[in-house]
Amino acid sequence: MKLISTPIHASGVPTPIKAIPISPANTPNSIKFLIGGTAGMTATLFVHPMEVVKNRMQMSGEGGGVREYKTTFHASRAIHRSGGLSGIYAGLSAGLFRTATYTTARLGIYQVLLEHFRQPDGRPPRFFVNLLLGVASGGLGSFIGTPAEVALIRMTLDERLPMTERRNYAHVFDALVRITREEGVFKLWRGGIPTITRAMIANAAQMPTYSQAKQALISTGLMQQGFPLHAVASLIAAFVTTAFSLPVDIIKTRYQNMKVIQGKPEYTGIFVSYYLLIFYVKIY
C-alpha cells in the first residue's frame, strides 16, 4: 500500500492522505515449485501409512496365494501389530523423496507449458489443451520420480519377505545406491511405463472431474463458492481418479517389487503382469 498526499492548501491545512493500492508482484515460479513440493511433503507425513497399507494390500494374494488382509482396517491393524509405528511408516524417506521429485517436477513442467500455451490475450489455454498439458506434465514428472517410486515400493513391502530375502534398505538414498550397484542404473526405472501411464491417467481423470464436479454442485444449487465446495469436488475427483488408475497401480507395484529367482524374473513384462492381475480379479 503506497501513501500519497496532495500539496497543502493556501489555508495551511493539508489534504487528507489517500491510500493507493499497488498490485503485488507475481510470485516467482521457483517459489511456487518450492511451496508445492513442501506442501506435498507435509501431506505425505499424514498419508504415508495409507500408502503402506495400499502397497501391502496390492501384493496380498499375489500368484494365487491366500489373501493376507480382508479390509483396509484389518491390514492397518496387522501392520501396526507386527511392526509398530516404524512398520506403518516404513519407507517414509522414499515417500518424501518421491513427493519432492515428482510433485515439484510436475508442477514446474506444467507451469512452463501453461505459460507457453497461453492465448494471445493472456487467458489460459482451452480446456482440451489444458488437459493435454496436465497429462504431459504428469507423465514427465512421474518419469523423473520413478527411482524414488521403486525405492518406496520395495521399502514398504520389505517386511513381507522372509528374513533371508529382505533388502533392509536404511533409507531412500541407500536404496538408490544399492539398486544401481547391485542391479544396474536402468533398474531404477523398472516399471517406468506403468508408473508414467498411471500418472497420465490420473491427471487426465482428475482435472476434468474436479471442474465438472464443481460446476454440477453449483448449478444444482447444492453448494456455493468456498472451501467446502473445493473440498467436496476434490473428494469426487480423487474417487474417480483412483477408480481409473488403480489397475495400472497394482501392476506397477507388483512389477517393481518382483524378485529374480535363479536368474529369472517373476514377470517377463508388464503385459504378463496385466494378465496375471485379470486372472487374480476373476478368482477373487
Side-chain angles (χ1 to χ4, degrees):
M1 190 75 72
K2 185 177 181 179
L3 301 177
I4 299 178
S5 61
T6 57
I8 299 178
H9 285 281
S11 61
V13 180
T15 58
I17 296 177
K18 297 180 180 180
I20 301 177
I22 297 178
S23 302
N26 290 331
T27 305
N29 286 338
S30 58
I31 300 299
K32 293 180 182 178
F33 306 157
L34 179 62
I35 293 173
T38 303
M41 293 176 72
T42 303
T44 298
L45 296 175
F46 295 93
V47 303
H48 185 77
M50 288 297 98
E51 180 81 26
V52 176
V53 171
K54 175 184 74 71
N55 290 342
R56 297 281 183 90
M57 292 187 71
Q58 287 179 343
M59 294 297 296
S60 179
E62 183 187 24
V66 179
R67 296 178 67 178
E68 302 170 62
Y69 312 115
K70 299 178 181 178
T71 64
T72 301
F73 298 106
H74 177 218
S76 301
R77 289 196 302 268
I79 295 170
H80 186 269
R81 190 182 301 116
S82 62
L85 189 63
S86 61
I88 205 72
Y89 271 95
L92 178 60
S93 63
L96 292 171
F97 188 62
R98 180 191 64 175
T99 302
T101 53
Y102 167 65
T103 301
T104 304
R106 182 185 62 164
L107 291 175
I109 294 169
Y110 176 75
Q111 191 65 35
V112 171
L113 293 175
L114 182 66
E115 294 301 326
H116 180 75
F117 284 95
R118 279 190 183 277
Q119 299 187 46
D121 58 2
R123 289 182 301 163
R126 289 175 297 176
F127 174 77
F128 182 71
V129 175
N130 206 353
L131 177 62
L132 292 178
L133 298 185
V135 171
S137 60
L140 292 171
S142 67
F143 175 79
I144 295 173
T146 295
E149 185 82 31
V150 173
L152 174 65
I153 294 300
R154 294 187 176 190
M155 293 177 73
T156 55
L157 297 175
D158 206 39
E159 191 177 318
R160 294 182 68 257
L161 299 174
M163 293 295 295
T164 56
E165 297 180 16
R166 293 183 183 180
R167 299 177 174 102
N168 294 317
Y169 298 135
H171 46 73
V172 62
F173 300 110
D174 177 48
L176 298 177
V177 170
R178 284 181 52 189
I179 292 171
T180 302
R181 184 187 303 134
E182 297 168 9
E183 304 174 43
V185 67
F186 292 110
K187 288 299 186 291
L188 292 174
W189 276 270
R190 169 180 280 175
I193 292 176
T195 302
I196 294 170
T197 303
R198 181 199 60 174
M200 294 173 71
I201 292 174
N203 278 270
Q206 185 180 45
M207 294 173 59
T209 303
Y210 174 77
S211 300
Q212 292 299 319
K214 273 205 316 180
Q215 186 61 38
L217 291 170
I218 293 174
S219 62
T220 55
L222 294 175
M223 305 188 76
Q224 297 179 346
Q225 283 288 356
F227 176 76
L229 172 65
H230 294 287
V232 173
S234 297
L235 289 174
I236 295 172
F239 177 81
V240 174
T241 300
T242 301
F244 276 95
S245 63
L246 186 59
V248 182
D249 192 45
I250 296 177
I251 293 170
K252 176 196 70 66
T253 299
R254 296 192 175 189
Y255 191 73
Q256 290 176 330
N257 188 62
M258 71 175 176
K259 300 182 294 294
V260 177
I261 303 173
Q262 295 181 350
K264 296 182 178 180
E266 294 179 272
Y267 307 121
T268 56
I270 58 172
F271 295 106
V272 176
S273 304
Y274 171 77
Y275 287 117
L276 288 175
L277 174 61
I278 297 299
F279 178 72
Y280 168 81
V281 170
K282 287 182 178 180
I283 291 177
Y284 292 96

